[in-house]
Amino acid sequence: MSETNHARALAFLYAFHVAGTPDFEDLARHFADDGYYQPLVPATRRIVGRAAIAAALEKQYRTYYECVCEVHASAAMGRFVFTERTDHVTLHAADRKVGSRVCAVFEFNEDGEIAGWREYWDSGDVMKQMGISAEDLAAAM
């Protein structure tokens, strides 16, 4: 199960982080009906359900484009997959490039669907690179 979930998590990340615009509805199909996404633990709330997750991911692409995922390390244990990566994006505002180190935890259910996706990253570093306030960052999430 661990290796299968590991492959599923990486496939999801690479489907989300593409040169163009990802298919948000297709990405949401990776989740359980009651699956959740928490973009920044503990600062943001969990986003629950496929439609809400698709909308949240699409909202992020209003701030940036050309999101490339550089995976540095990943591991799986049972139903959990842990990844460390750098996301490289280009902001729509001034075509500024931003890179963010991210640790993520994926939890899978018995059907191989994502039951939970939690992300941890340095929001202060991202705000500095983007030249925005905490309120602006929250609005983009």
Side-chain angles (χ1 to χ4, degrees), residues 120-136:
Y120 304 82
W121 43 276
D122 184 346
S123 59
D125 179 56
V126 171
M127 287 185 296
K128 184 177 178 182
Q129 290 181 64
M130 292 176 71
I132 63 172
S133 69
E135 292 78 19
D136 293 334

Side-chain angles (χ1 to χ4, degrees), residues 6-141:
H6 188 233
R8 287 179 178 134
L10 293 178
F12 172 80
L13 285 174
Y14 290 128
F16 177 44
H17 300 90
V18 295
T21 302
D23 181 335
F24 299 107
E25 288 182 25
D26 184 58
L27 290 172
R29 288 187 196 101
H30 290 261
F31 287 83
D33 287 336
D34 61 348
Y36 73 86
Y37 166 48
Q38 190 169 6
L40 179 57
V41 175
T44 61
R45 294 180 184 205
R46 291 179 173 186
I47 299 160
V48 180
R50 290 179 177 149
I53 292 167
L57 297 178
E58 187 171 9
K59 182 179 179 183
Q60 290 179 20
Y61 269 74
R62 292 184 203 136
T63 302
Y64 61 77
Y65 63 98
E66 291 184 0
C67 186
V68 177
C69 173
E70 177 186 1
V71 175
H72 304 293
S74 61
M77 187 169 92
R79 64 180 194 216
F80 294 95
V81 177
F82 305 85
T83 63
E84 178 188 17
R85 66 183 200 270
T86 300
D87 288 350
H88 304 275
V89 302
T90 304
L91 302 175
H92 289 293
D95 286 329
R96 183 182 310 165
K97 297 203 181 287
V98 173
S100 177
R101 267 314 248 250
V102 181
C103 286
V105 178
F106 292 89
E107 181 177 354
F108 287 85
N109 65 19
E110 284 119 22
D111 295 326
E113 300 168 317
I114 299 171
W117 172 27
R118 302 181 295 280
E119 297 207 312
Y120 304 82
W121 43 276
D122 184 346
S123 59
D125 179 56
V126 171
M127 287 185 296
K128 184 177 178 182
Q129 290 181 64
M130 292 176 71
I132 63 172
S133 69
E135 292 78 19
D136 293 334
L137 182 63
M141 303 293 300

